[in-house]
């Protein structure tokens, strides 16, 4: 059997005509007992009013902007089973629920934990006037041995009265304990994980204005001049009976300013959000300081947190924006948004969509550039003799049609270097390094639609002519747009050769999950001192980018020098 019950604003202490700033349920919603229904906010505090029992919301009797006091009807509920279980439905019509309180007033009846009561930490001068002041946990109602889940100040911080010091949480409630007065934190006496009760020492404060004044300000429990900084999310003193007052959440103190972007907040200021929104954000790992509140007085709402998380996920997961860069707003990295410029103001433009390859490779390059700590080692290899050999081979092979390229020699030399320096033929997998015992070498191919990286499989088992044949075929396939995903999989190490185009050095981006890439620039004749005289030698610039998490600078220099020595005297490959 179901009953319609009215849920009313409970005893909210001295507060009257308090503004409704949020409605957290909708008509037709099935709600549970203690679920927050609305948020009220005065100029000094905010609090959420929970349901005293579960049921289906029939009609909501308040709207945002309404001013309500104790006894105002919040909504009607079809209580159904829940009401039956909870007892007499009529009793729910009494002030059914008390705001999720921070701390009940010390002398308030237990079941009517005051919404307006905020547990301002108590301050008492230590050893008489002039010394540091002990700031202790105020009366927090029935709670004891409550866990500290957040410490919001540090030693040396200069703090203001009502600024939140710590957040404590039980399985039912969380509340922030604010400072009773201005001062500088001399020493912190609690840490995350500590269990505290009324009277526990939170910190010692060098009080502004002297300890005498501090003593005067010190009040053991929430009083009207110390508004709650936070609140319990669940009743502090729920009797378990339908209709009994249930203390609910009280909210932000005025010390918490209207929330804004991180840059708008001073180091000790807290974003403007209710405790339940703080908890929600904490559970999702979302930083409230980076959000802009869309609620009244720029208060951060649950929807703001959701939107922030969605945006962060979208900008991490979406290939296209990451590739474009221009449309990724950098929110996930805490960066400034990408500048939006109306280029037509400055001249004619043409907008052309990025090619599919550019979008895909761009997203990969972006991730690799951001996530891998790149360092590039530059060296040169004397390829005078190798180039002479290449020219000779090509003359001999003219009839076969196979052109021996520098790239083929490079691939073969890289395989030999990987065998000598196995950590370059590896991938990071969490805390493990996966060392590969196969040698698949990728090479960057420039195509009209963008960059692709086909892979020469088992390059260690192939000769120069076969490698040259395969790279030529794969490069052609790539340029014709016919290279398959299988052609590009399984790489261990990549080579990006710009030698046919130009340049003296560059920083190639590592092709994750590989840990290094070799960039090759244009060879040129350089005067080299042979001990007696300068002689012209053909020098090939080698730019080795490596993942510094895996490879040390010394190893990279050795790898590059070793590679240079192999290219200078290719016979060493046989050793
Ligand atoms: N120094 C001087 N000349 C070089 C050279 C070097 N390091 N490398 C190649 N050359 C010469 C070649 O000998 C060839 O000359 P000939 O025609 O007289 O023989 C000419 O440059 C063209 O070579 P190529 O580039 O066609 O052939 P390749 O085997 O050297 O390279 C490939 C093949 C697929 C790597 C290349 O065509 C390519 O696409 N390179 C671009 C890679 C790229 O875009 N990297 C950037 C990635 S990061 O943005």
């Amino acid at each position: 059997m179901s009953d319609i019950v009215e849920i009313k604003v409970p005893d909210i202490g001295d507060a009257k005509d308090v503004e409704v700033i949020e409605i957290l349920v909708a008509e037709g919603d099935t709600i549970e007992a203690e679920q927050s229904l609305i948020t009220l906010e005065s100029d000094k505090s905010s609090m959420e009013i929970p349901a005293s029992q579960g049921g289906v919301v029939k009609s909501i009797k308040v709207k945002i902007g309404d001013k309500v006091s104790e006894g105002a009807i919040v909504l009607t509920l079809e209580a159904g089973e829940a009401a039956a279980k909870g007892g007499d439905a009529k009793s729910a019509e009494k002030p059914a629920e008390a705001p999720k309180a921070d701390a009940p007033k010390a002398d308030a009846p237990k079941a009517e934990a005051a919404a307006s009561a905020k547990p301002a930490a108590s301050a008492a001068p230590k050893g008489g006037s002039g010394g540091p002041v002990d700031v202790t946990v105020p009366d927090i109602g029935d709670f004891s041995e409550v866990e500290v889940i957040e410490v919001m100040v540090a030693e040396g911080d200069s703090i203001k009265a009502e600024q939140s010091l710590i957040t404590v949480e039980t399985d039912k409630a969380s509340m922030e304990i604010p400072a009773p007065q201005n001062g500088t934190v001399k020493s912190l006496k609690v840490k995350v994980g500590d269990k505290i009760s009324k009277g526990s020492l939170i910190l010692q404060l060098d009080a502004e204005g002297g300890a005498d004044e501090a003593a005067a300000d010190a009040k053991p429990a929430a009083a009207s001049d110390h508004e709650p900084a936070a609140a319990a999310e669940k009743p502090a003193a729920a009797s378990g009976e339908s209709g009994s007052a249930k203390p609910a959440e009280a909210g932000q103190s005025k010390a918490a300013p209207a929330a804004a972007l991180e840059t708008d907040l001073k180091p000790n200021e807290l974003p403007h959000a209710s405790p339940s929104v703080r908890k929600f954000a904490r559970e999702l790992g979302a930083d409230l300081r980076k959000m802009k509140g869309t609620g009244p007085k720029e208060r951060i709402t649950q929807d703001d947190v959701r939107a922030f998380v969605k945006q962060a996920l979208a900008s991490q997961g979406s290939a296209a924006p990451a590739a474009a860069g221009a449309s990724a707003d950098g929110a996930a990295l805490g960066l400034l948004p990408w500048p939006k410029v109306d280029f037509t103001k400055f001249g004619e433009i043409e907008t052309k969509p990025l090619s599919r390859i550019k979008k895909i490779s761009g997203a990969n390059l972006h991730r690799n550039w951001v996530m891998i700590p790149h360092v590039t080692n530059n060296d040169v290899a004397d390829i005078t003799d190798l180039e002479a050999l290449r020219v000779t081979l090509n003359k001999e092979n003219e009839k076969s049609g196979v052109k021996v390229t520098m790239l083929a020699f490079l691939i073969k030399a890289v395989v030999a270097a990987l065998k000598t320096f196995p950590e370059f033929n590896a991938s990071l997998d969490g805390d493990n390094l996966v060392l590969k015992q196969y040698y698949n070498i990728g090479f960057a191919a420039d195509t009209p639609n963008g960059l692709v990286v086909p892979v020469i499989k088992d390059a260690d088992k192939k000769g120069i002519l076969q490698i040259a044949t395969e790279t030529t075929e794969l490069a052609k396939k790539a340029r014709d747009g016919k290279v398959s995903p299988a052609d590009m999989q399984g790489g261990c190490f990549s080579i990006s050769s710009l030698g046919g185009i130009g340049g003296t050095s560059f920083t190639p981006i590592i092709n994750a999950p590989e840990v290094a890439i070799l960039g090759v620039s244009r060879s040129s004749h350089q005067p080299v001192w042979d001990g007696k005289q300068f002689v012209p030698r053909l020098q090939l610039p080698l730019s080795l980018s490596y993942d510094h998490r895996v490879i040390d600078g010394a190893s990279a220099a050795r790898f590059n020098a070793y590679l240079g020595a192999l290219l200078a005297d290719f016979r060493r490959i046989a050793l």
Side-chain angles (χ1 to χ4, degrees):
M1 204 186 109
S2 67
D3 274 309
I4 303 294
V5 295
E6 290 175 338
I7 304 287
K8 295 179 179 173
V9 175
D11 179 357
I12 48 173
D14 289 344
K16 285 202 172 48
D17 290 332
V18 189
E19 189 176 342
V20 177
I21 61 160
E22 241 173 341
I23 295 177
L24 305 163
V25 292
E27 287 176 2
D29 280 3
T30 300
I31 60 168
E32 287 171 12
E34 294 169 16
Q35 182 174 332
S36 292
L37 304 175
I38 56 172
T39 309
L40 305 181
E41 190 173 64
S42 69
D43 58 338
K44 291 189 172 172
S45 67
S46 67
M47 64 193 92
E48 288 174 14
I49 306 292
S52 55
Q53 61 189 94
V56 177
V57 177
K58 283 302 282 178
S59 69
I60 295 175
K61 303 293 185 191
V62 290
K63 58 184 186 314
I64 288 174
D66 282 0
K67 300 275 172 62
V68 296
S69 305
E70 181 184 347
I73 300 170
V74 175
L75 51 80
T76 56
L77 194 71
E78 191 172 350
E81 295 274 294
K85 268 193 211 150
D88 179 4
K90 275 189 196 152
S91 64
E93 291 174 20
K94 291 172 194 157
E97 62 294 321
K100 291 179 179 177
D102 18 33
K105 278 181 189 163
D107 54 357
K110 183 178 166 192
E112 292 179 24
S116 59
K118 292 194 177 187
S122 306
K126 198 177 161 60
S129 65
V133 170
D134 283 346
V135 176
T136 57
V137 177
D139 184 351
I140 48 172
D142 285 348
F143 295 118
S144 68
E145 293 293 296
V146 190
E147 189 175 345
V148 176
I149 59 159
E150 236 176 338
V151 177
M152 289 132 140
V153 293
E155 289 178 2
D157 278 4
S158 158
I159 58 170
K160 294 248 175 309
E162 297 179 8
Q163 178 180 332
S164 292
L165 303 175
I166 56 173
T167 308
V168 293
E169 192 170 62
T170 67
D171 56 337
K172 290 191 168 175
S174 72
M175 62 189 96
E176 290 168 17
I177 310 280
Q181 62 187 98
N182 296 354
T184 304
V185 178
K186 196 170 152 54
S187 65
L188 259 177
K189 301 297 182 192
V190 289
K191 58 182 186 319
V192 170
D194 281 359
K195 298 277 171 58
I196 58 168
S197 307
K198 178 184 173 186
S200 301
L201 184 58
I202 301 173
L203 52 81
Q204 285 185 327
L205 195 68
D206 272 338
E208 240 174 54
D212 284 339
E213 198 182 306
D217 281 352
K219 301 216 171 133
S224 59
D225 56 344
H226 287 308
E227 294 298 327
E233 290 176 5
K234 299 266 169 79
S239 71
E241 280 169 37
S242 172
S244 65
K246 293 185 179 180
E249 210 150 279
Q252 282 308 110
S253 75
K254 61 185 171 184
L261 293 180
E262 187 168 31
T263 44
D264 295 346
L265 293 170
K266 295 190 190 105
N268 288 326
E269 284 180 318
L270 287 172
H272 187 195
S274 70
S276 60
V277 170
R278 286 175 190 287
K279 186 169 185 244
F280 183 57
R282 230 180 4 253
E283 281 168 0
L284 296 177
D287 187 350
L288 287 170
R289 300 178 70 90
K290 294 185 174 148
M291 294 173 211
K292 183 101 184 152
T294 59
K297 298 177 197 159
E298 296 189 12
R299 193 171 198 272
I300 299 171
T301 63
Q302 274 211 3
D303 281 346
D304 292 332
V305 178
R306 269 191 213 103
F308 177 85
V309 171
K310 264 190 202 163
Q311 194 184 28
L313 289 174
S315 51
Q316 274 177 344
S318 149
S327 45
D329 66 7
L333 297 171
L335 302 177
L336 287 175
W338 192 261
K340 277 202 162 56
V341 177
D342 177 8
F343 300 105
T344 57
K345 281 201 303 200
F346 308 105
E348 264 185 46
I349 60 162
E350 183 199 345
T351 305
K352 213 171 138 187
L354 285 171
S355 70
R356 198 181 63 86
I357 289 181
K358 274 229 157 78
K359 282 191 206 164
I360 295 168
S361 65
N364 280 290
L365 289 164
H366 190 182
R367 178 202 55 209
N368 300 347
W369 181 247
V370 169
M371 292 185 70
I372 302 174
H374 283 70
V375 182
T376 304
N377 178 282
N378 290 298
D379 208 338
V380 286
D382 183 334
I383 57 162
T384 316
D385 297 340
L386 189 60
E387 178 61 9
L389 173 66
R390 191 182 77 86
V391 171
T392 307
L393 287 174
N394 277 337
K395 273 193 190 137
E396 288 172 8
N397 287 336
E398 234 164 351
K399 281 191 201 128
S400 71
V402 178
K403 184 178 167 190
V404 178
T405 60
M406 187 52 68
L407 182 64
F409 285 117
L410 284 165
I411 289 173
K412 205 68 196 164
V414 158
V415 168
L418 291 178
K419 287 185 175 173
T420 307
F421 299 92
E423 78 265 32
F424 286 76
N425 191 20
S427 285
L428 263 183
D429 180 15
D431 287 339
N432 292 325
L433 193 62
V434 179
L435 293 154
K436 294 157 201 169
Q437 273 138 35
Y438 53 88
Y439 299 88
N440 297 340
I441 312 298
F443 65 98
D446 183 30
T447 81
N449 288 322
L451 181 72
V452 293
V453 186
V455 174
I456 301 294
K457 307 270 164 46
D458 297 320
D460 56 319
K461 299 182 182 135
K462 294 173 180 166
I464 297 287
L465 288 183
Q466 190 178 349
I467 292 173
T469 306
E470 283 190 26
T471 53
T472 307
E473 284 170 4
L474 281 169
K476 182 172 182 323
K477 257 173 111 176
R479 283 175 191 137
D480 294 344
K482 291 185 179 154
V483 75
S484 70
D487 289 330
M488 295 186 283
Q489 283 167 4
C492 304
F493 181 100
S494 298
I495 300 176
S496 174
S497 174
L498 291 170
I501 303 166
T504 55
S505 69
F506 64 107
T507 302
I509 298 178
I510 297 163
N511 191 14
E514 297 166 19
V515 294
I517 180 169
L518 179 72
V520 181
S521 297
R522 191 166 189 80
S523 58
S524 61
H525 282 96
Q526 302 289 329
V528 175
W529 186 251
D530 71 356
K532 291 186 194 137
Q533 58 187 334
F534 282 104
V535 289
R537 304 293 295 178
L538 189 61
Q539 302 286 86
L540 180 72
L542 304 174
S543 303
L544 178 72
S545 289
Y546 55 95
D547 184 337
H548 212 336
R549 295 171 299 178
V550 177
I551 295 161
D552 296 333
S555 301
R558 284 191 196 103
F559 182 98
N560 229 0
Y562 182 75
L563 189 64
L566 291 177
L567 294 169
D569 185 353
F570 216 72
R571 293 169 304 178
R572 289 169 185 268
I573 298 262
L575 294 177

